Amino acid sequence: MITKEIREQFPILGQEVNGKPLTYLDSAATSQKPISVIETLAHYYKNDNSNVHRGVHTLGTRATDGYEGSREKVRRFINASSTEEVIFVRGTTTAINTVASSYGRANIGEGDEIVITPMEHHSNIIPWQQLAKETGATLKYIPLQADGTISLSDVENTITAHTKIVSVMYVSNVLGTINPIKDITEIAHRNDAVMMVDGAQAAPHMKVDVQELDCDFFAFSAHKMCGPTGIGVLYGKKQLLDKMEPVEFGGEMIDFVGLYDSTWKELPWKFEGGTPIIAGAIGLGAAIDFLEQIGLDEIEKIEHELVEYAMERMSTIEGLTIFGPRNRAGLVTFNLDDVHPHDVATVLDTEGIAVRAGHHCAQPLMKWLDVTATARASFYLYNTKDDVDALIEGLKTTKEYFGHVF
Ligand code: 7TS
């Protein structure tokens, strides 16, 4: 599919905002949805809506087949070895909290270490902070290099025989850094630690193979990859998940319930207490179909060309600072002179351009960058060079608008 054809699949992109054609550059926050995903959700509610794993009636079977069919699509998408290793959760945040609460509480104690990095999203910091506080474990950070990358010698020096869990983002939502997850996993395993990967900014944009990475846990959210909100995935290796306790108890996740004791269903259902996010999971399956039809390699290529072009054009704007390494995923975080990033985003919005401004749920990273906030333009498969050109014009307008201040 050429970009024009891809764009036509996204009805929302055809509108005007503030009298200008919409330029959507906030896909790292959430992606837009193609018509196939929107129609899959509508079709499900119009035709098949029912609860799963219970009734013998036809609608119940259709809903269950759709829900479990999506699990198989996810398994294939990340190359998990079995659907038992694919747990549907609310999103990346819930996936990480599940591992911290279940695996963490059972396996971490005083004197143990949890290793993360200062570039993590809050959802990959706070669950570990809480776990460290509860258990008396130590939270350690792999330091960042000046360009916002991680060096493997620092990883070697930070992970020790006391480390029990290492949790690192694959791709930074602020710097665009692509972390060497396979190497970090190897170092974690050499020290008998388990490796958790926050894949929220990776799974939508590049081919992920959890067996190749050899990570123990991998988390991602459907809404950042053309799917609906409210659904995401926790991948975990079967031998670890088998030994872990559920974190939510109730319907759907039980085998036998007595007055004083109960037993759980087998994997993956023991982690899916309550009526699951059925339509969401089916919508995620449709999103995977869509992404695979275009091809993850192709998507990576589109984004790479866009980010290279954006970096080149943005570097010609005087007073514009770009944060993060040269080699990066499809996003550019920046500040313009001394204009507050919220003001930059507000002026850009008047031009129909949607960018994110703020701390991007990465306050420790903002401190490391020595800024309070930044603006961020993030690309996805439906963006074009015209979007980058609109951003450049918008930034010039912003400079003119605030020109009198300086
Ligand atoms: N991890 C990373 C790397 C993220 O970028 C995000 C969301 C999350 C975790 C949390 O995902 P959720 O689906 O559970 O909320 N990042 C962003 C962002 O950059 N702007 O808005 C949300």
Side-chain angles (χ1 to χ4, degrees), residues 26 28-30 90-94 96 121 123-124 169 171-173 198 200-201 221 223-224 356 360-361 376:
D26 196 18
T30 200
R90 193 165 61 83
T92 306
T93 303
T94 312
I96 299 171
H121 186 278
S123 63
N124 198 26
M169 63 193 342
V171 173
S172 163
N173 62 320
D198 171 352
Q201 299 293 347
S221 303
H223 70 94
K224 293 189 199 287
R356 177 92 192 226
H360 313 285
C361 299
R376 179 189 68 192

Side-chain angles (χ1 to χ4, degrees), residues 36 88 108 114 134 146 198 205 211 229 235 271 288 298 315 321 344 372 381:
S36 61
F88 285 128
I108 302 268
I114 303 160
E134 269 175 43
D198 171 352
H205 306 283
Q211 293 190 69
T229 49
Y235 158 83
F271 288 105
I288 289 175
E298 181 62 23
S315 63
T321 309
V344 174
T372 50
L381 71 168

